[in-house]
Amino acid sequence: MSRGMSFEPSYLRLHSEGVLNERVQKALALLEPCRVCPRACGVRRLEGEVGFCETGRKAAVASTNAHFGEESPLVGRSGSGTIFISSCSLLCSFCQNYEISHGREGAEVGPEQMALMMVQLSQAGCHNINFVTPTHVVPQILEALSHAIERGLRVPLVYNSSGYDSLETLALLDGIFDIYMPDFKFWDNRWAERYCEAPDYREVASAAIREMHRQVGDLALDEQGIAYRGLLVRHLVMPNQVAGTEDVMEFLAKEISPNTYVNVMDQYRPCGSAHRDEFINRRLHSEEYRDAVNAAKRAGLERLDERERIRLILTR
């Protein structure tokens, strides 16, 4: 797939038509009472109250950088411009970024500060602006976007989430985010409840990924292999088949698209409180990862992140 020189991020049209400002107002209304994420805590965040994510009126950012550890189509030569949002609406007990999600490392920022972060990453040559765990601060991101556009932002936005996303919130992002990169963490809800207090995770994530794909379709790449639009799904393989990999891959292939780009990830390690849990208190065995990749292939998925193929070869 390729894009011509005329390609521009979809949010530019919504901004020029005044639709983006309307979306900002609708998104801010979701903060009071809060129903931005599926937990729908109902707190009054515009007044500074906090719920499950412990985030009030302002978003907090832990770090920004040109990241080269992301998926191949996002990184290219110049990196993915990541903005790591503090806290999370899912809060997995084994989170690999525990200090940022549970420890809420970072500092609060206003819309102009966040806009400047986006623009600086773009000016540094990053191929995209990649919001990591954005679910609970969608209104704040949309507030900042207008400022960033006026400062010259012209690269695609990446919505890098846990997959635990509200359809009402995702509807406000239609035409704003060109690239969605959700996790699909669990198929069996008993594990989602055990590790994330989210007994409806499979249903929520399934519906969210369907909506994301409806908005942007399969992942599209330019002549240099850089993504500019579409869906990319991450799946972290976990010990003892806790993640339900085979069922997740079947879902993606049969109910989303056989052309879904998937990152089958092997980097699980016990973080947070995982070392106290008998099922996930160890790293993956090499055969568990090979089985996961083979499950993806059996389901008919062929667009696997290139680094995963390399890892599979090296572990044989």
Side-chain angles (χ1 to χ4, degrees), residues 30-265:
L30 295 180
L31 292 174
E32 193 157 318
C34 189
R35 58 185 188 280
V36 172
C37 88
R39 296 192 188 277
C41 292
V43 299
R44 308 188 77 81
R45 288 175 61 186
L46 292 179
E47 298 177 11
E49 293 181 5
V50 299
F52 190 87
C53 69
E54 296 195 31
T55 303
R57 175 62 179 87
K58 288 186 175 182
V61 173
S63 67
T64 67
N65 57 72
H67 196 10
F68 291 86
E70 298 288 71
E71 286 71 7
S72 303
L74 299 184
V75 169
R77 291 177 177 267
S78 303
S80 178
T82 53
I83 298 178
F84 281 82
I85 304 296
S86 300
S87 193
C88 179
S89 58
L90 191 59
L91 293 177
C92 303
S93 62
F94 56 86
C95 182
Q96 312 287 284
N97 294 309
Y98 202 87
E99 294 80 8
I100 295 174
S101 59
H102 290 253
R104 297 186 298 282
E105 284 186 354
E108 289 189 341
V109 298
E112 293 190 0
Q113 291 171 286
M114 187 181 287
L116 184 59
M117 293 173 182
M118 296 187 223
V119 173
Q120 288 177 336
L121 290 168
S122 175
Q123 291 175 342
C126 293
H127 301 290
N128 47 69
I129 304 302
N130 182 348
F131 289 97
V132 183
T133 60
T135 300
H136 57 298
V137 295
V138 164
Q140 292 87 343
I141 291 172
L142 296 186
E143 270 189 308
L145 181 57
S146 292
H147 295 284
I149 293 170
E150 290 164 4
R151 290 172 177 256
L153 186 70
R154 296 294 184 275
V155 297
L157 304 182
V158 181
Y159 189 85
N160 181 347
S161 83
S162 66
Y164 198 61
D165 292 285
S166 158
L167 293 180
E168 184 177 15
T169 298
L170 289 176
L172 297 179
L173 302 181
D174 193 356
I176 292 175
F177 279 84
D178 279 304
I179 301 172
Y180 282 104
M181 187 164 64
D183 291 335
F184 201 134
K185 292 182 178 291
F186 301 102
W187 187 258
D188 189 332
N189 280 333
R190 63 182 168 139
W191 300 116
E193 182 172 19
R194 180 176 180 127
Y195 301 126
C196 308
E197 299 180 38
D200 57 349
Y201 179 85
R202 183 182 72 233
E203 292 79 12
V204 170
S206 297
I209 291 172
R210 284 193 185 95
E211 172 60 15
M212 293 173 183
H213 187 262
R214 184 198 68 77
Q215 290 184 19
V216 299
D218 294 332
L219 194 68
L221 312 179
D222 67 12
E223 294 85 353
Q224 286 74 48
I226 306 300
Y228 61 92
R229 184 174 174 84
L231 174 71
L232 187 162
V233 179
R234 284 175 162 177
H235 177 73
L236 180 65
V237 185
M238 297 182 67
N240 295 305
Q241 301 181 4
V242 162
T245 300
E246 185 170 356
D247 288 319
V248 170
M249 297 304 148
E250 285 288 331
F251 169 80
L252 294 175
K254 304 299 190 297
E255 299 193 39
I256 301 301
S257 167
N259 293 317
T260 302
Y261 192 104
V262 182
N263 184 357
V264 182
M265 300 188 296

